[in-house]
Amino acid sequence: MSAKSQVRFFQKMEQLSNQYTSLAADNATIALADLSLLDDLHPEEKLPALFAANLSSAEMHKLANFSYKKRYAEWLGGRLAAKYGLELFRKKTKQTPLAPNTFSILADEHGRPYLETEFSTPLSISISHSKGYAAAYVSPRQSCGIDIQQVTSKMLNVAEKFTTETEKSLFRDSEKHLLTLTIIWVAKEAVKKSLLHDQPITFTGTKVVKVETTGAGAWKLHCDVTGNCHSSTTVKIATFNDFVIGCTEGQPHA
């Protein structure tokens, strides 16, 4: 992969991330990466220098475990997006920049990303990917969640498992049925990642109770979460191309 192609990846990530800064809460940041720009990468080949410079030795070791090209690109793209989100956070809060290869973003026992190195500000991180895009959210709150999902007809096959007629009726434009289903899915996935990453009850126990339209292709969903961690939370949602992306923040329960 040429140096020019590597630079293009980071330039595109900057452009995409700038478009969706409104999804991030105060002092939080969002990053979005186009994984199609990693198509020339192959797990069996040496990682290009610009990408390797953003990963710690622990992350390089983890990446080497992926032999399947799609999963390799998703994991790498997610980590690069998260590292960029951290860079944006430090700029936003006027902190001294850190070399991205000096700290690791690993996964805890729940599969949730965490910073191996302590920062002056405790941070939470969430990563998601879908059909050629990776997204990351960095927050100074104790927990956060992000989800990205392509709008496809597959949602029709599982709709009855994750939503109700009452939730769907909260949306004004009932003709955009697939979009409505995807928005609800993304909201519940983001909440699950923020609260109880590996507990199904958080997904099935999350109910959308109010929907606000905040702009063209943008919504704010108010959700109640029942079960072992009763609470309420808000998910900011936006669309781009045929994808839906959503972010939320909350308190840790895992």
Side-chain angles (χ1 to χ4, degrees):
M1 188 176 189
S2 69
K4 185 177 180 179
S5 296
Q6 295 170 63
V7 170
R8 174 58 182 153
F9 173 85
F10 289 107
Q11 290 175 335
K12 184 67 177 294
M13 183 160 61
E14 181 180 3
Q15 294 169 1
L16 288 171
S17 303
N18 286 339
Q19 292 178 34
Y20 298 97
T21 54
S22 61
L23 284 176
D26 292 343
N27 285 339
T29 59
I30 186 171
L32 191 61
D34 184 346
L35 300 183
S36 70
L37 298 177
L38 302 179
D39 284 347
D40 290 341
L41 291 181
H42 299 278
E44 66 275 10
E45 297 177 356
K46 184 179 180 180
L47 186 66
L50 287 181
F51 296 148
N54 281 268
L55 300 182
S56 68
S57 58
E59 290 167 329
M60 289 289 287
H61 178 75
K62 177 66 176 178
L63 182 65
N65 291 328
F66 297 109
S67 57
Y68 182 43
K69 183 177 178 180
K70 179 175 180 291
R71 184 69 186 108
Y72 181 90
E74 288 174 343
W75 192 92
L76 175 61
R79 285 309 183 278
L80 293 175
K83 292 291 180 86
Y84 182 61
L86 284 162
E87 178 186 339
L88 292 177
F89 174 82
R90 297 188 72 82
K91 288 181 179 179
K92 197 172 186 178
T93 55
K94 299 180 180 179
Q95 297 183 37
T96 303
L98 288 177
N101 62 353
T102 60
F103 60 89
S104 301
I105 300 174
L106 304 176
D108 65 15
E109 67 272 20
H110 301 281
R112 182 158 47 194
Y114 77 96
L115 281 167
E116 183 186 46
T117 305
E118 290 295 327
F119 281 73
S120 56
T121 302
L123 299 173
S124 57
I125 299 172
S126 184
I127 298 173
S128 180
H129 46 75
S130 175
K131 301 294 182 180
Y133 286 95
Y137 193 79
V138 177
S139 171
R141 294 288 299 276
Q142 290 178 301
S143 70
C144 67
I146 189 170
D147 192 62
I148 182 171
Q149 180 67 45
Q150 187 178 33
V151 181
T152 72
S153 60
K154 292 180 180 180
M155 282 291 163
L156 296 173
N157 300 328
V158 294
E160 63 181 20
K161 297 180 180 180
F162 71 87
T163 190
T164 65
E165 291 300 322
T166 299
E167 290 176 318
K168 288 183 285 187
S169 70
L170 297 172
F171 291 82
R172 297 175 184 175
D173 194 345
S174 58
E175 293 181 1
K176 296 182 179 179
H177 186 52
L178 279 178
L179 177 60
T180 293
L181 291 177
T182 308
I183 290 171
I184 295 172
W185 174 278
V186 165
K188 295 188 177 187
E189 276 289 335
V191 171
K192 180 167 78 80
K193 289 182 178 182
S194 177
L195 299 180
L196 281 168
H197 190 284
D198 61 348
Q199 299 297 315
I201 184 62
T202 309
F203 190 88
T204 58
T206 298
K207 304 298 180 186
V208 180
V209 296
K210 182 180 178 182
V211 176
E212 297 179 55
T213 301
T214 57
W219 299 264
K220 186 181 291 185
L221 274 61
H222 301 268
C223 304
D224 282 345
V225 185
T226 58
N228 296 331
C229 54
H230 186 274
S231 62
S232 60
T233 190
T234 300
V235 185
K236 291 183 178 180
I237 298 283
T239 59
F240 72 100
N241 299 333
D242 58 341
F243 288 81
V244 173
I245 186 169
C247 308
T248 189
E249 297 180 324
Q251 301 299 321
H253 294 277

Coordinates of all heavy atoms in Angstrom, one line a residue, residues 141-195:
R141 N -17.0 11.0 30.1 CA -18.0 10.4 31.0 C -17.5 8.9 31.3 O -16.7 8.4 30.6 CB -19.4 10.3 30.3 CG -20.0 11.7 30.1 CD -20.5 12.3 31.4 NE -21.5 11.5 32.1 CZ -22.8 11.5 31.8 NH1 -23.2 12.3 30.8 NH2 -23.6 10.8 32.5
Q142 N -18.2 8.3 32.3 CA -17.7 7.0 32.7 C -18.1 5.9 31.7 O -17.5 4.8 31.8 CB -18.3 6.7 34.1 CG -17.7 7.5 35.2 CD -18.4 7.3 36.5 OE1 -19.6 7.4 36.7 NE2 -17.6 6.9 37.5
S143 N -19.0 6.1 30.8 CA -19.3 5.1 29.8 C -19.9 5.8 28.6 O -20.5 6.8 28.7 CB -20.2 4.0 30.3 OG -21.5 4.5 30.5
C144 N -19.7 5.1 27.5 CA -20.3 5.7 26.2 C -20.5 4.5 25.3 O -20.0 3.4 25.4 CB -19.4 6.7 25.6 SG -17.8 6.1 25.0
G145 N -21.4 4.8 24.3 CA -21.6 3.8 23.3 C -21.9 4.4 21.9 O -22.5 5.4 21.8
I146 N -21.3 3.7 20.9 CA -21.6 4.2 19.5 C -21.9 2.9 18.7 O -21.4 1.8 18.9 CB -20.3 4.9 18.9 CG1 -20.6 5.5 17.6 CG2 -19.1 3.9 18.8 CD1 -19.5 6.4 17.0
D147 N -22.8 3.1 17.7 CA -23.1 2.1 16.8 C -23.4 2.6 15.4 O -23.9 3.7 15.2 CB -24.4 1.3 17.2 CG -24.6 0.0 16.4 OD1 -23.7 -0.9 16.6 OD2 -25.6 -0.1 15.7
I148 N -22.9 1.9 14.4 CA -23.1 2.3 13.0 C -23.7 1.1 12.3 O -23.3 -0.1 12.5 CB -21.8 2.7 12.3 CG1 -22.1 3.2 10.9 CG2 -20.7 1.7 12.4 CD1 -20.9 3.8 10.3
Q149 N -24.7 1.3 11.4 CA -25.4 0.2 10.8 C -25.9 0.6 9.4 O -26.5 1.7 9.2 CB -26.6 -0.2 11.6 CG -27.4 -1.4 11.1 CD -26.7 -2.7 11.1 OE1 -26.0 -3.0 12.0 NE2 -26.7 -3.4 10.0
Q150 N -25.7 -0.2 8.4 CA -26.2 0.0 7.1 C -27.7 -0.3 7.1 O -28.2 -1.2 7.7 CB -25.5 -0.8 6.1 CG -25.9 -0.5 4.6 CD -25.1 -1.4 3.6 OE1 -24.8 -2.5 3.9 NE2 -24.8 -0.8 2.5
V151 N -28.4 0.6 6.3 CA -29.9 0.3 6.2 C -30.1 -0.7 5.1 O -29.8 -0.5 3.9 CB -30.6 1.6 5.8 CG1 -32.1 1.4 5.6 CG2 -30.3 2.8 6.8
T152 N -30.6 -1.9 5.5 CA -30.8 -3.0 4.6 C -32.1 -3.7 5.0 O -32.6 -3.6 6.1 CB -29.7 -4.0 4.6 OG1 -29.7 -4.8 5.8 CG2 -28.3 -3.4 4.5
S153 N -32.6 -4.5 4.0 CA -33.9 -5.2 4.2 C -33.7 -6.3 5.3 O -34.7 -6.9 5.7 CB -34.3 -5.8 2.9 OG -33.4 -6.7 2.4
K154 N -32.5 -6.6 5.7 CA -32.3 -7.7 6.7 C -33.0 -7.3 8.0 O -33.3 -8.2 8.9 CB -30.8 -7.9 7.0 CG -30.1 -8.5 5.8 CD -28.6 -8.8 6.1 CE -27.9 -9.4 4.9 NZ -26.5 -9.6 5.2
M155 N -33.2 -6.0 8.3 CA -33.9 -5.5 9.5 C -35.3 -6.1 9.6 O -35.8 -6.3 10.7 CB -33.9 -4.0 9.5 CG -32.6 -3.4 9.9 SD -32.3 -3.7 11.7 CE -30.5 -3.3 11.7
L156 N -35.9 -6.3 8.4 CA -37.3 -6.8 8.4 C -37.4 -8.2 9.1 O -38.4 -8.5 9.7 CB -37.8 -6.8 7.0 CG -38.0 -5.5 6.3 CD1 -38.3 -5.7 4.8 CD2 -39.0 -4.6 7.0
N157 N -36.3 -9.0 8.9 CA -36.3 -10.3 9.4 C -36.2 -10.4 10.9 O -36.6 -11.4 11.5 CB -35.2 -11.1 8.8 CG -35.2 -11.2 7.3 OD1 -36.3 -11.2 6.7 ND2 -34.1 -11.2 6.6
V158 N -35.7 -9.4 11.6 CA -35.5 -9.4 13.0 C -36.3 -8.3 13.8 O -36.2 -8.2 15.0 CB -34.0 -9.3 13.4 CG1 -33.3 -10.5 12.9 CG2 -33.4 -8.0 12.8
A159 N -37.1 -7.5 13.0 CA -37.8 -6.4 13.6 C -38.6 -6.7 14.8 O -38.5 -6.0 15.8 CB -38.7 -5.7 12.6
E160 N -39.3 -7.8 14.8 CA -40.2 -8.1 15.9 C -39.5 -8.5 17.2 O -40.0 -8.6 18.3 CB -41.2 -9.3 15.5 CG -40.4 -10.6 15.2 CD -41.4 -11.7 14.8 OE1 -42.6 -11.4 14.4 OE2 -41.0 -12.9 14.9
K161 N -38.2 -8.8 17.0 CA -37.4 -9.2 18.2 C -36.8 -8.0 18.9 O -36.3 -8.2 20.1 CB -36.2 -10.1 17.7 CG -36.6 -11.4 17.1 CD -35.5 -12.3 16.7 CE -35.9 -13.6 16.1 NZ -34.7 -14.4 15.7
F162 N -36.8 -6.8 18.3 CA -36.1 -5.7 19.0 C -37.0 -4.4 19.1 O -36.6 -3.5 19.7 CB -34.8 -5.4 18.3 CG -34.9 -4.7 17.0 CD1 -35.0 -3.3 16.9 CD2 -34.8 -5.5 15.8 CE1 -35.0 -2.7 15.6 CE2 -34.9 -4.9 14.6 CZ -35.0 -3.5 14.5
T163 N -38.2 -4.4 18.4 CA -38.9 -3.2 18.5 C -40.4 -3.5 18.6 O -40.9 -4.6 18.4 CB -38.6 -2.3 17.3 OG1 -39.3 -1.0 17.5 CG2 -39.2 -2.8 16.0
T164 N -41.2 -2.5 18.9 CA -42.7 -2.6 19.0 C -43.4 -1.6 18.1 O -42.8 -0.6 17.6 CB -43.1 -2.3 20.5 OG1 -42.8 -1.0 20.8 CG2 -42.4 -3.2 21.4
E165 N -44.7 -1.8 17.9 CA -45.4 -0.8 17.1 C -45.5 0.5 17.8 O -45.5 1.6 17.1 CB -46.9 -1.4 16.9 CG -47.0 -2.6 16.0 CD -46.4 -2.3 14.6 OE1 -46.7 -1.2 14.1 OE2 -45.8 -3.2 14.0
T166 N -45.5 0.5 19.1 CA -45.5 1.8 19.8 C -44.2 2.6 19.5 O -44.3 3.8 19.3 CB -45.6 1.6 21.3 OG1 -46.8 0.9 21.6 CG2 -45.6 2.9 22.1
E167 N -43.1 1.9 19.5 CA -41.8 2.6 19.2 C -41.8 3.2 17.8 O -41.4 4.3 17.5 CB -40.6 1.7 19.5 CG -40.4 1.4 20.9 CD -39.2 0.4 21.1 OE1 -39.2 -0.6 20.3 OE2 -38.4 0.6 22.0
K168 N -42.3 2.3 16.9 CA -42.3 2.8 15.5 C -43.2 3.9 15.2 O -42.9 4.8 14.3 CB -42.6 1.6 14.6 CG -41.5 0.5 14.5 CD -41.8 -0.6 13.5 CE -42.9 -1.6 14.2 NZ -43.1 -2.8 13.3
S169 N -44.3 4.0 16.0 CA -45.3 5.0 15.8 C -44.8 6.4 16.2 O -45.4 7.4 15.9 CB -46.6 4.7 16.6 OG -46.3 4.8 18.0
L170 N -43.6 6.4 16.9 CA -43.1 7.7 17.4 C -42.4 8.5 16.3 O -42.1 9.7 16.4 CB -42.0 7.4 18.5 CG -42.5 6.8 19.8 CD1 -41.3 6.4 20.7 CD2 -43.5 7.7 20.5
F171 N -42.2 7.8 15.1 CA -41.6 8.5 14.0 C -42.6 9.0 13.0 O -43.6 8.3 12.7 CB -40.7 7.5 13.2 CG -39.4 7.1 14.0 CD1 -39.5 6.1 15.0 CD2 -38.2 7.7 13.8 CE1 -38.4 5.8 15.7 CE2 -37.1 7.4 14.5 CZ -37.2 6.4 15.5
R172 N -42.4 10.2 12.6 CA -43.4 10.9 11.7 C -43.6 10.3 10.3 O -44.7 10.1 9.8 CB -43.1 12.4 11.6 CG -43.1 13.1 12.9 CD -42.6 14.6 12.7 NE -42.5 15.3 13.9 CZ -42.0 16.5 14.0 NH1 -41.5 17.1 12.9 NH2 -41.9 17.1 15.2
D173 N -42.4 9.9 9.7 CA -42.4 9.4 8.4 C -42.5 7.9 8.4 O -41.5 7.2 8.3 CB -41.2 9.9 7.6 CG -41.3 9.7 6.1 OD1 -42.2 9.0 5.7 OD2 -40.5 10.3 5.4
S174 N -43.7 7.4 8.4 CA -43.9 5.9 8.5 C -43.5 5.2 7.2 O -43.3 4.0 7.2 CB -45.3 5.6 8.9 OG -46.2 6.1 8.0
E175 N -43.4 6.0 6.1 CA -43.1 5.4 4.8 C -41.7 4.9 4.8 O -41.3 3.9 4.0 CB -43.3 6.4 3.7 CG -44.8 6.8 3.5 CD -45.0 7.8 2.3 OE1 -43.9 8.1 1.7 OE2 -46.1 8.1 2.1
K176 N -40.8 5.5 5.5 CA -39.4 5.1 5.6 C -39.2 4.0 6.6 O -38.5 4.2 7.6 CB -38.5 6.3 5.8 CG -38.5 7.3 4.7 CD -37.6 8.5 5.0 CE -37.6 9.5 3.8 NZ -36.7 10.7 4.1
H177 N -39.8 2.9 6.4 CA -39.9 1.8 7.4 C -38.5 1.3 7.7 O -38.2 1.1 8.9 CB -40.8 0.7 6.9 CG -41.1 -0.4 7.9 ND1 -41.5 -0.1 9.2 CD2 -41.0 -1.7 7.8 CE1 -41.7 -1.2 9.8 NE2 -41.3 -2.2 9.0
L178 N -37.7 1.0 6.7 CA -36.4 0.4 6.9 C -35.5 1.4 7.7 O -34.8 0.9 8.6 CB -35.7 0.0 5.6 CG -36.1 -1.3 5.0 CD1 -35.4 -1.5 3.7 CD2 -35.8 -2.5 5.9
L179 N -35.6 2.6 7.4 CA -34.8 3.6 8.1 C -35.2 3.7 9.6 O -34.4 3.7 10.5 CB -35.0 5.0 7.5 CG -34.3 6.2 8.1 CD1 -32.8 5.9 8.2 CD2 -34.6 7.5 7.4
T180 N -36.5 3.7 9.8 CA -37.0 3.7 11.2 C -36.5 2.5 12.0 O -36.0 2.7 13.1 CB -38.6 3.7 11.2 OG1 -39.0 4.9 10.6 CG2 -39.1 3.6 12.6
L181 N -36.6 1.3 11.4 CA -36.1 0.1 12.1 C -34.6 0.2 12.4 O -34.2 -0.1 13.5 CB -36.4 -1.1 11.2 CG -37.8 -1.5 11.0 CD1 -37.9 -2.7 10.1 CD2 -38.5 -1.9 12.4
T182 N -33.9 0.7 11.4 CA -32.4 0.8 11.6 C -32.1 1.9 12.7 O -31.2 1.6 13.5 CB -31.7 1.2 10.3 OG1 -32.1 0.3 9.3 CG2 -30.2 1.1 10.5
I183 N -32.8 3.0 12.8 CA -32.6 4.0 13.8 C -32.8 3.4 15.2 O -32.0 3.6 16.1 CB -33.5 5.2 13.6 CG1 -33.0 6.0 12.3 CG2 -33.5 6.1 14.8 CD1 -34.0 7.1 11.9
I184 N -33.9 2.7 15.3 CA -34.2 2.0 16.6 C -33.1 1.0 17.0 O -32.7 1.0 18.2 CB -35.6 1.4 16.6 CG1 -36.7 2.4 16.4 CG2 -35.9 0.6 17.9 CD1 -38.1 1.9 16.1
W185 N -32.7 0.2 16.0 CA -31.7 -0.8 16.3 C -30.4 -0.1 16.7 O -29.8 -0.5 17.7 CB -31.4 -1.6 15.0 CG -30.2 -2.5 15.1 CD1 -28.9 -2.2 14.9 CD2 -30.3 -3.9 15.4 NE1 -28.1 -3.3 15.1 CE2 -28.9 -4.4 15.4 CE3 -31.3 -4.8 15.7 CZ2 -28.6 -5.7 15.6 CZ3 -31.0 -6.1 15.9 CH2 -29.7 -6.6 15.9
V186 N -30.0 0.9 16.0 CA -28.7 1.6 16.4 C -28.8 2.2 17.8 O -27.8 2.2 18.5 CB -28.4 2.7 15.3 CG1 -27.4 3.7 15.8 CG2 -28.0 2.1 14.0
A187 N -29.9 2.8 18.1 CA -30.1 3.4 19.4 C -29.9 2.4 20.5 O -29.2 2.6 21.5 CB -31.5 4.1 19.5
K188 N -30.6 1.2 20.3 CA -30.5 0.2 21.4 C -29.1 -0.4 21.4 O -28.6 -0.8 22.5 CB -31.6 -0.9 21.1 CG -33.0 -0.3 21.3 CD -34.1 -1.4 21.2 CE -35.4 -0.8 21.4 NZ -36.5 -1.8 21.5
E189 N -28.4 -0.6 20.3 CA -27.1 -1.1 20.3 C -26.1 -0.1 21.0 O -25.3 -0.5 21.8 CB -26.6 -1.3 18.9 CG -27.0 -2.7 18.3 CD -26.2 -3.8 19.0 OE1 -25.1 -3.6 19.5 OE2 -26.8 -5.0 19.0
A190 N -26.3 1.2 20.8 CA -25.4 2.2 21.4 C -25.7 2.1 22.9 O -24.7 2.2 23.7 CB -25.7 3.5 20.9
V191 N -26.9 2.0 23.4 CA -27.2 1.9 24.8 C -26.6 0.7 25.4 O -26.0 0.7 26.5 CB -28.7 2.0 25.1 CG1 -29.0 1.7 26.5 CG2 -29.3 3.3 24.7
K192 N -26.7 -0.4 24.7 CA -26.1 -1.7 25.2 C -24.6 -1.6 25.4 O -24.1 -2.0 26.4 CB -26.5 -2.9 24.3 CG -25.9 -4.2 24.7 CD -26.6 -5.3 23.9 CE -25.9 -5.5 22.6 NZ -24.7 -6.2 22.6
K193 N -24.0 -1.0 24.4 CA -22.5 -0.8 24.5 C -22.1 0.1 25.7 O -21.1 -0.1 26.3 CB -22.0 -0.3 23.2 CG -22.0 -1.3 22.1 CD -21.4 -0.7 20.8 CE -21.4 -1.7 19.7 NZ -20.8 -1.1 18.5
S194 N -22.9 1.1 25.9 CA -22.6 2.0 27.0 C -22.9 1.4 28.4 O -22.1 1.7 29.3 CB -23.5 3.3 26.8 OG -23.3 4.2 27.9
L195 N -23.9 0.6 28.5 CA -24.3 0.1 29.9 C -23.8 -1.3 30.2 O -22.9 -1.5 31.0 CB -25.8 0.2 30.0 CG -26.4 1.6 29.9 CD1 -27.9 1.6 30.1 CD2 -25.8 2.5 31.0

